[in-house]
Amino acid sequence: MLILHLITFLLLSPPLPALSATITTTSSGHAIPFPHYEHLNIKQSIASTTLRPLSSDSDSKTNNNTAVKLQLLHRDKLPFHRHKDHRRRFLSRMQRDSLRVAAVLRRTAGAAYEAADFGAEVVSGMEQGSGEYFVRIGVGSPARSQYMVIDSGSDIVWVQCQPCSQCYHQSDPVFDPAESASFSGVSCSSTVCDRVENSGCHAGRCKYEVSYGDGSYTKGTLALETLTVGHTTVQNVAIGCGHMNRGMFVGAAGLLGLGGGSMSLVGQLGSQTGQAFSYCLVSRGTASYGSLEFGRSVLPVGAAWVPLLQNLRAPSFYYIGLSGLGVGGTRVPVSEDAFKLSESGDGGVVMDTGTAVTRLPAAAYAAFRDAFLAETANLPRVGGVSIFDTCYDLNGFVTVRVPTVSFFLSGGPILTLPARNFLIPVDERGTFCFAFAPSPSDLSIIGNIQQEGIQISFNGANGYVGFGPNVC
């Protein structure tokens, strides 16, 4: 279990124990009051590459504030996952991740798509364009349970629908709108239709089309439908009913967009939830779920809040300010300008659930990596693996001492990651890699490997994102 602390510069505590994530709020960028080193348990990390059955928790829970928590699942935990070998899963994940990053870069470059409080537990998926994590919700009346990919960079909710002239395989029966009493098609003259990118009209009905970076797409009609999220029923949600769909969505029925636009689930709920939601991506190797919750009441007390930044060229994405990087208690000599979002919409730092590995501009990554290499010169190196160029042979080690790495967030907070969020096993033999990679552009993306185990909350109405204080 991670331990996440929010402390101030004047109330410093001794270095925290290994495998702890720390958020420190300071008024000075010169002192770095966080643990400089941690001990990574190698045997435990290798053991975590073995898939474990999930615990028998119910699909949703209700807390004392009547908020419902949905289970969030990683793709590796899904019952229809195909690869049992960790190295094969890893290599497939990195291939998809590269495609995902390419798609995010196109979106942030301004390219358009081509032709009540409640929550849920989240499951991780790992297909490009679809995100890494899945949630189970009900669609229609009566509710038909479906696995849906969550995507913080997407602004549409859609499911595969009958009649399906072209559909990929999904684990649940394809949703049939004819069996739902609450399904209602959207007319071409509706204002809802006007809010959809690449909308069209056929026989008086609003049509939509969304394409993703790997060639995946969904095409169909726009409709208003009832969604059941946990024990909460939400009526008249605009969803895409996809009759032609192609893609690698790992058995999911569709996608649950959580982006910043008006057509995402967050945008459609609007004043009902204050555009507020919180998620916790469970750490790899555990037999438990992460969580996804919606509503103002789920915003935690004690989080370290930093402003969300707006990029009008890519309004779906959640941008944050990043001023620097740290390794082993020392700030890496990288200019703050490397992470700035320009007035024209270039650069910046995006938080993305669909990207696995954090990407940094090439010069910043090189300085960051070299600082890490200097602090791990005593560890045996091996050649690069997939997108990683900094890897180690840790076979035979029980634990290793590694420097901590940190994100300096705008406004003062410093997020120091636990070792398992940046030095990860890529096979069962003991090969570990530094889980960062260079970005092909000035855009930085904070991926879900670095987000694991930390509660992350978005207060869209007030324009802030919070880190901690809870863990998962």
Side-chain angles (χ1 to χ4, degrees):
M1 174 69 72
L2 298 174
I3 304 172
L4 195 65
H5 294 276
L6 180 65
I7 59 180
T8 66
F9 181 69
L10 296 176
L11 296 173
L12 299 184
S13 49
L16 298 170
L19 294 181
S20 61
T22 306
I23 293 179
T24 303
T25 303
T26 75
S27 57
S28 167
H30 302 293
I32 307 179
F34 50 71
H36 296 177
Y37 294 90
E38 291 187 0
H39 286 85
L40 178 64
N41 189 314
I42 299 303
K43 289 188 175 181
Q44 186 181 72
S45 296
I46 294 174
S48 73
T49 64
T50 301
L51 294 179
R52 304 181 192 179
L54 288 164
S55 60
S56 57
D57 293 346
S58 60
D59 284 346
S60 61
K61 299 176 181 179
T62 303
N63 63 23
N64 293 332
N65 294 324
T66 70
V68 177
K69 178 183 292 186
L70 297 176
Q71 291 181 336
L72 188 66
L73 306 177
H74 192 280
R75 167 196 169 112
D76 287 356
K77 305 292 182 64
L78 294 171
F80 42 80
H81 195 278
R82 293 165 294 184
H83 299 317
K84 301 301 181 184
D85 177 77
H86 178 72
R87 184 175 178 85
R88 290 178 63 193
R89 294 198 308 271
F90 163 76
L91 292 174
S92 295
R93 185 182 194 184
M94 293 304 101
Q95 290 172 350
R96 288 187 298 270
D97 209 47
S98 295
L99 291 171
R100 170 72 180 192
V101 169
V104 171
L105 292 176
R106 281 193 291 272
R107 296 273 307 283
T108 57
Y113 282 121
E114 299 172 2
D117 301 339
F118 53 89
E121 291 180 349
V122 180
V123 183
S124 164
M126 291 161 58
E127 294 299 349
Q128 192 283 328
S130 65
E132 287 266 310
Y133 289 83
F134 288 73
V135 68
R136 196 154 177 79
I137 66 172
V139 181
S141 302
R144 309 288 184 182
S145 293
Q146 307 274 286
Y147 279 110
M148 301 282 284
V149 175
I150 69 162
D151 190 344
S152 64
S154 180
D155 279 344
I156 193 166
V157 179
W158 63 266
V159 294
Q160 295 198 116
C161 280
Q162 298 284 12
C164 208
S165 57
Q166 178 181 307
C167 280
Y168 59 84
H169 175 73
Q170 65 177 66
S171 61
D172 299 299
V174 174
F175 176 69
D176 188 349
E179 296 179 356
S180 172
S182 52
F183 184 90
S184 176
V186 172
S187 69
C188 299
S189 59
S190 169
T191 57
V192 175
C193 190
D194 293 336
R195 290 158 56 190
V196 178
E197 290 186 62
N198 285 356
S199 63
C201 187
H202 179 73
R205 293 300 181 188
C206 184
K207 299 287 185 178
Y208 79 96
E209 177 177 343
V210 178
S211 296
Y212 298 95
D214 64 343
S216 302
Y217 59 78
T218 176
K219 304 176 184 179
T221 56
L222 198 66
L224 299 180
E225 184 55 287
T226 294
L227 300 184
T228 303
V229 187
H231 301 299
T232 299
T233 299
V234 186
Q235 298 178 333
N236 295 322
V237 178
I239 69 169
C241 189
H243 301 294
M244 294 184 64
N245 314 283
R246 173 187 173 186
M248 300 179 295
F249 294 98
V250 202
L255 186 142
L256 193 69
L258 300 177
S262 64
M263 287 297 289
S264 75
L265 183 61
V266 176
Q268 291 193 60
L269 292 172
S271 60
Q272 298 179 57
T273 60
Q275 298 179 46
F277 68 101
S278 180
Y279 61 78
C280 213
L281 308 180
V282 71
S283 297
R284 300 177 306 280
T286 63
S288 60
Y289 298 90
S291 62
L292 171 66
E293 300 176 275
F294 296 91
R296 292 185 184 90
S297 71
V298 306
L299 297 178
V301 175
W305 296 96
V306 298
L308 286 169
L309 306 179
Q310 268 201 324
N311 183 356
L312 297 180
R313 202 165 71 182
S316 301
F317 291 103
Y318 296 104
Y319 283 80
I320 65 169
L322 182 67
S323 62
L325 305 165
V327 173
T330 301
R331 188 159 180 159
V332 177
V334 175
S335 170
E336 186 173 346
D337 291 341
F339 308 110
K340 281 190 174 178
L341 176 63
S342 72
E343 292 184 2
S344 61
D346 294 319
V349 182
V350 167
M351 299 270 300
D352 185 35
T353 60
T355 300
V357 176
T358 290
R359 303 308 205 275
L360 301 168
Y365 168 74
F368 190 43
R369 174 204 59 203
D370 291 348
F372 188 82
L373 283 171
E375 294 290 335
T376 55
N378 60 320
L379 297 179
R381 292 280 307 280
V382 294
V385 179
S386 185
I387 66 172
F388 298 139
D389 61 14
T390 302
C391 300
Y392 303 85
D393 180 6
L394 302 182
N395 182 34
F397 286 82
V398 177
T399 63
V400 294
R401 183 173 180 261
V402 296
T404 58
V405 303
S406 303
F407 294 131
F408 288 74
L409 305 174
S410 295
I414 301 170
L415 175 62
T416 299
L417 301 178
R420 64 183 173 214
N421 282 32
F422 60 82
L423 195 59
I424 65 171
V426 299
D427 58 32
E428 298 92 339
R429 297 188 300 272
T431 305
F432 283 68
C433 294
F434 186 54
F436 294 85
S439 172
S441 79
D442 292 334
L443 179 71
S444 298
I445 306 173
I446 297 181
N448 57 57
I449 289 176
Q450 282 65 48
Q451 297 179 46
E452 283 181 355
I454 304 168
Q455 183 180 20
I456 297 175
S457 306
F458 292 87
N459 186 341
N462 294 327
Y464 282 89
V465 60
F467 296 87
N470 299 324
V471 296
C472 55

